[in-house]
Amino acid sequence: MEKTKTNFGRRTFLKASALAGGGLLIQFSALAKLGLDAKSVTADNSAQWNELTGYIKIMDDNVVKILCPNPEFGQNVMTSLPMMVAEELDVNWKEVVVEMGPHDNTKLGPQFTGGSNSMRMYWKPLREAGAAARNMLMQAAAQNWGVPVEELSTKAGVIVHTKSGKTGKYGDFASKAAIIPVPKGVKLKDVQSFKIVRHPQKNVEGAKIISGKPLFGLDYKQEGMLIAMIQHPPAFGMTFKSFDGSQALKMPGITDVFSFKLYDDGFEQGGFDTRTFNDLIVVVGKTTWQVMQARKKLVVEWVPAGDTKDYMAGRGGKREVIVPGELESTDAQLEKMKLYASKPAQQLRKDGDPETAFKNAAQIIERTYNAPFLAHNCMEPMNFFAHVTGDKALVAGPLQAPGWVEPTLSKILKLPADKIEIQMTRMGGGFGRRAYGQYVIEAALISKKAKAPVKLIYSREDDTTYGIYRPMYTATYRAALDANKNVIAFHVKGGGIPEHAIAANRFPAGAIDNYLAEGWEIPSNITIGAFRAPRSNFNAAAEQSFLDELAEAMGKDPIDFRLELLNRAKENPVGKNNEYDADRYAGVLKLVKEKSGWNGPEQKKYSRGVAAYFCHNSYAAHVVDMTLKDGQPYVERVFSAVDCGIVINPDAAANMVQGAVVDGIGNALYGGLTHKNGVVEQTNFHSYRIIRMHEAPKKVEVHFVQNDIDPTGLGEPPFPPVFGAVANALYKALGKRYYQQPYTSPQPQIPIV
């Protein structure tokens, strides 16, 4: 058979139409039948499919491919997002092929995995894409059969005309459907009728993962590819004055040693652009091991960088930021935080007259909570492939926010966006770290200068010491009680390096008449970034620990006390800007109370801690059951209750919560990063403690509130309350309140003032 040549680029399309209300462009291509055997279909010949929308491609023999728009790093979006399309398309899920889509914001939407937004962001657009494609197929069948489209129905990829008895598979009509204009406003299914969504589906990449298929960025290879590794300064606040790479160049397999700037002077950084070190030295060679050994031969003169200036043009508008050049140490940082905590701070919210209420209080309870910097510790260190030539660029690897990196690449490489191709691999963890794409820019600049395809690889030590951490936080909570032990005022004042974590309009704001929230910040050259539930992961730890201690002082059960406050916020809320829904918040507490058997016989067997929190539009509560194992605290069981609206894939959702629980326990008990004269003191897992397999709970029982609310976030919301639940269980187990994270590892502490 004569082969048909195609020239279908990723940005090529024949027509585009905006999905009603979805804010997303839907495309389709009128691609003829090419006679391809379905068994041979791969990503390389995707242009030979009949493309109905940007997400859906159907072969004439009824094989259906659904593209996942968002990058995958373990949250199972590659299963859950295509499930939404398949539900409205009405196909047999077992016959669907799922692939990671290319970076293409026009066809596939925002393509940002972060902020627990994937399900929420794509809920309507993906369903509408599936419904539109189903309608197009039905229109094609109606034209073929000469019947009204209203008389047709579908079932699992088959179109049925009951009156005539005619049936046909989607593939029979795919090529004709592809040239039908994309309809707008197609009616979506009633959520109660779902057959795929809301039902457990196995991970579509599960078999590939367990059989070791090359899915991750570190697996990516191209012919002639070289390996690059960067030598960054040994301390925050330093740069190099000079270097000698002659000995490194003599090492086996080494092809180049040079320096480069990440950003030129005056470069305006976009929303997720960041830099820890701007002047970098790179070694390029044939293998990772050869490059690692050669890098040790570099002779570098390091000097203090002094204050520097960043030009920001992303979130928050255009501004200049002075980055201090101090070589920071944790002890000095703590002293500085103590000083700032004693000064007046920015008022974030004020209800009533808290000053008078505290003045007239019969009792005041005050506690200060502290937390260190945390490293993301993705199991797959940062890496990225780049091949930059004079007129185009290909980059490929693990990345959470390709749409944010593309304009930066375009500016730095001086290439139009349509000459830059971004391929996304599966990520070995993200947690917010891979939203910041400086390592992509580094790889591209190295490739351009080396004039070769290059994969940049960070070692574990590079990754841990580079920056972009969870900030260092502190917060002081105060509560005023009257003579009858009723809460009459609440005050939280928090700060951090380089940002504070206070969310002024969250619980218990809205539940207390006299309320004050304040915040302060200290600039730093230690770079920070989103870390699984940014700010919330500290807030929940401090706030939920304090509420437990407050309940005890008032002689109340900790769950009942929270429910009383939430009932007040529901029945007679204070203020108008409360972020949370008191009913849904109370719902997860009631559910976890029921499922854990709170105050039942288990209460005597275990030391139990409870916590609940709202963030990223979802609600989560945990009851932690702790015992002592060889004299050390061990979380044996956890009961979790979550309200994230409609649960797309119950299996994946439960796994997400279980992962958040284990991650939360590990960070609460062990996580922490310290500095000495700008040098990171923890460089790998021998010194940066993470939870071990034998320390994970034996059981994490997950329950979801059942409702028909549109889905909200899940990757982050279950994580923050774990910290508070662990702290409260520790108190029951050891008879001591914990105010400093990590709870079981020695870390410098801020004196309580």
Side-chain angles (χ1 to χ4, degrees):
M1 179 184 293
E2 184 180 353
K3 292 184 178 179
T4 304
K5 185 177 180 181
T6 62
N7 293 299
F8 182 75
R10 73 184 182 93
R11 293 180 181 274
T12 303
F13 63 92
L14 299 178
K15 292 185 179 180
S17 172
L19 268 180
L24 176 67
L25 286 178
I26 289 295
Q27 299 187 139
F28 62 90
S29 304
L31 299 174
K33 178 180 177 181
L34 298 175
L36 182 71
D37 183 345
K39 294 181 181 178
S40 68
V41 171
T42 67
D44 296 332
N45 49 45
S46 60
Q48 298 169 359
W49 297 69
N50 296 298
E51 186 172 330
L52 298 189
T53 71
Y55 302 101
I56 305 160
K57 300 180 181 182
I58 301 178
M59 287 292 286
D60 293 317
D61 64 356
N62 223 42
V63 176
V64 178
K65 178 192 288 184
I66 299 177
L67 297 184
C68 175
N70 272 20
E72 170 70 75
F73 59 76
Q75 74 281 45
N76 213 7
V77 292
M78 275 196 71
T79 304
S80 301
L81 289 177
M83 284 171 63
M84 300 180 194
V85 180
E87 181 66 64
E88 295 290 347
L89 183 59
D90 194 9
V91 292
N92 184 344
W93 176 252
K94 293 181 180 178
E95 296 177 359
V96 169
V97 176
V98 176
E99 289 187 0
M100 182 65 231
H103 169 57
D104 192 331
N105 287 160
T106 301
K107 288 177 70 172
L108 300 179
Q111 293 189 282
F112 171 61
T113 299
S116 297
N117 267 323
S118 292
M119 300 303 124
R120 182 169 174 252
M121 180 168 50
Y122 279 98
W123 172 243
K124 191 173 182 182
L126 287 184
R127 292 176 65 205
E128 288 177 328
R134 175 176 170 270
N135 182 275
M136 292 157 71
L137 289 161
M138 292 172 68
Q139 287 187 58
Q143 292 172 17
N144 271 17
W145 294 339
V147 300
V149 70
E150 293 78 15
E151 293 182 1
L152 301 182
S153 61
T154 62
K155 184 177 182 181
V158 175
I159 300 175
V160 179
H161 185 241
T162 305
K163 287 185 178 179
S164 66
K166 290 181 179 180
T167 63
K169 295 181 178 179
Y170 283 179
D172 298 337
F173 311 104
S175 58
K176 188 166 187 175
I179 60 174
I180 292 174
V182 179
K184 298 181 180 180
V186 178
K187 185 179 180 181
L188 301 178
K189 285 186 177 182
D190 186 304
V191 296
Q192 294 289 341
S193 67
F194 287 162
K195 296 180 176 65
I196 298 173
V197 169
R198 307 184 92 160
H199 298 274
Q201 310 295 343
K202 297 301 180 185
N203 188 330
V204 296
E205 290 203 296
K208 295 177 184 177
I209 293 168
I210 63 173
S211 58
K213 293 292 188 295
L215 302 173
F216 299 91
L218 284 173
D219 297 320
Y220 190 92
K221 290 182 176 64
Q222 273 207 10
E223 188 70 27
M225 182 182 79
L226 299 174
I227 300 298
M229 297 187 82
I230 286 171
Q231 181 67 55
H232 66 67
F236 292 94
M238 296 196 80
T239 188
F240 74 87
K241 181 179 180 181
S242 64
F243 76 96
D244 181 356
S246 58
Q247 294 305 307
L249 270 170
K250 294 177 183 178
M251 296 288 285
I254 301 307
T255 61
D256 212 345
V257 178
F258 55 84
S259 64
F260 70 98
K261 282 182 178 291
L262 180 62
Y263 301 140
D264 289 335
D265 293 342
F267 179 82
E268 288 189 344
Q269 299 177 44
F272 277 96
D273 293 340
T274 189
R275 62 174 177 181
T276 300
F277 308 105
N278 198 57
D279 297 288
L280 301 162
I281 304 166
V282 64
V283 178
V284 183
K286 294 180 179 179
T287 71
T288 305
W289 180 252
Q290 289 173 333
V291 173
M292 289 178 75
Q293 298 312 303
R295 191 170 61 161
K296 296 176 184 177
K297 299 295 184 179
L298 291 172
V299 179
V300 187
E301 182 181 1
W302 303 107
V303 295
D307 292 355
T308 57
K309 186 181 292 186
D310 278 346
Y311 298 89
M312 313 303 295
R315 294 168 293 175
K318 290 190 176 185
R319 61 201 185 280
E320 293 183 6
V321 177
I322 301 299
V323 180
E326 181 183 352
L327 302 180
E328 300 180 32
S329 297
T330 299
D331 289 341
Q333 289 169 333
L334 292 168
E335 286 300 318
K336 190 179 289 187
M337 290 174 79
K338 179 184 176 184
L339 177 63
Y340 270 68
S342 65
K343 295 180 178 180
Q346 178 189 5
Q347 181 177 297
L348 304 174
R349 172 168 171 161
K350 184 177 180 180
D351 297 323
D353 184 0
E355 293 85 359
T356 300
F358 274 100
K359 183 179 179 181
N360 296 331
Q363 181 182 1
I364 295 175
I365 298 172
E366 179 176 331
R367 299 291 183 267
T368 297
Y369 302 84
N370 310 303
F373 288 105
L374 293 177
H376 291 82
N377 288 321
C378 304
M379 284 295 100
E380 179 190 23
M382 300 304 108
N383 67 92
F384 227 81
F385 169 85
H387 190 190
V388 179
T389 59
D391 61 349
K392 63 181 180 179
L394 166 67
V395 295
L399 180 64
Q400 288 182 235
W404 287 96
V405 171
E406 185 181 67
T408 304
L409 277 172
S410 180
K411 284 193 293 184
I412 286 179
L413 297 178
K414 296 178 174 58
L415 288 173
D418 63 358
K419 296 298 182 182
I420 299 171
E421 181 175 355
I422 301 176
Q423 295 181 5
M424 294 172 289
T425 64
R426 189 180 183 91
M427 292 175 266
F431 312 111
R433 172 62 182 88
R434 285 190 161 99
Y436 304 88
Q438 96 292 332
Y439 57 101
V440 184
I441 311 301
E442 291 168 352
L445 289 171
I446 293 168
S447 172
K448 184 177 181 179
K449 190 158 185 175
K451 294 182 172 58
V454 167
K455 183 193 286 184
L456 171 65
I457 296 176
Y458 283 24
S459 69
R460 173 63 59 194
E461 289 79 6
D462 295 336
D463 209 359
T464 305
T465 59
Y466 191 95
I468 314 183
Y469 305 126
R470 195 284 298 270
M472 189 176 185
Y473 290 128
T474 186
T476 296
Y477 284 77
R478 302 168 65 227
L481 306 182
D482 65 15
N484 296 318
K485 294 192 178 297
N486 297 309
V487 180
I488 57 173
F490 194 93
H491 176 206
V492 56
K493 182 179 181 181
I497 300 175
E499 67 169 26
H500 69 74
I502 303 304
N505 295 319
R506 292 186 188 167
F507 181 76
I512 299 171
D513 290 324
N514 303 294
Y515 175 87
L516 177 63
E518 300 175 291
W520 50 267
E521 299 172 342
I522 300 174
S524 173
N525 56 40
I526 298 174
T527 51
I528 57 99
F531 183 104
R532 195 172 196 171
R535 295 169 292 281
S536 297
N537 52 56
F538 172 71
N539 277 339
E543 168 204 291
Q544 292 293 306
S545 296
F546 185 68
L547 289 179
D548 235 55
E549 191 163 355
L550 186 54
E552 183 180 51
M554 297 169 68
K556 294 187 175 182
D557 175 90
I559 293 182
D560 291 343
F561 173 55
R562 289 168 172 84
L563 290 174
E564 285 178 18
L565 290 174
L566 288 165
N567 186 63
R568 165 67 199 277
K570 174 188 174 182
E571 299 295 335
N572 186 21
V574 180
K576 298 179 180 179
N577 298 316
N578 305 321
E579 293 182 16
Y580 59 95
D581 181 312
D583 254 348
R584 294 181 71 186
Y585 207 138
V588 293
L589 276 165
K590 292 174 182 176
L591 184 59
V592 82
K593 182 178 183 179
E594 173 198 341
K595 297 300 182 181
S596 67
W598 186 260
N599 286 333
E602 301 292 345
Q603 202 84 349
K604 296 179 180 179
K605 183 178 178 182
Y606 297 100
S607 300
R608 311 194 93 179
V610 66
Y613 199 71
F614 160 80
C615 71
H616 296 83
N617 304 288
S618 294
Y619 304 79
H622 304 292
V623 167
V624 162
D625 284 348
M626 184 177 286
T627 60
L628 293 180
K629 189 177 182 180
D630 299 325
Q632 297 299 313
Y634 168 60
V635 177
E636 185 173 312
R637 307 187 313 175
V638 180
F639 295 87
S640 303
V642 178
D643 182 351
C644 59
I646 292 170
V647 179
I648 307 297
N649 184 358
D651 274 4
N655 290 342
M656 289 274 278
V657 177
Q658 290 162 343
V661 166
V662 175
D663 194 16
I665 293 169
N667 278 288
L669 293 177
Y670 313 118
L673 201 70
T674 57
H675 299 83
K676 183 72 172 178
N677 296 323
V679 177
V680 180
E681 295 186 294
Q682 296 78 24
T683 59
N684 205 322
F685 295 135
H686 70 289
S687 52
Y688 192 106
R689 180 83 156 83
I690 64 172
I691 193 169
R692 309 298 185 190
M693 294 289 285
H694 71 277
E695 294 165 334
K698 294 179 181 177
K699 170 180 162 182
V700 180
E701 189 175 300
V702 182
H703 301 273
F704 292 97
V705 174
Q706 300 301 312
N707 57 44
D708 292 336
I709 298 170
D710 286 356
T712 51
L714 189 56
E716 288 156 296
F719 181 65
V722 177
F723 290 77
V726 168
N728 294 331
L730 276 169
Y731 171 64
K732 297 290 180 61
L734 302 176
K736 173 187 174 184
R737 294 282 181 185
Y738 285 79
Y739 305 102
Q740 323 282 346
Q741 291 177 30
Y743 299 135
T744 63
S745 296
Q747 290 276 331
Q749 299 180 358
I750 300 175
I752 297 175
V753 292

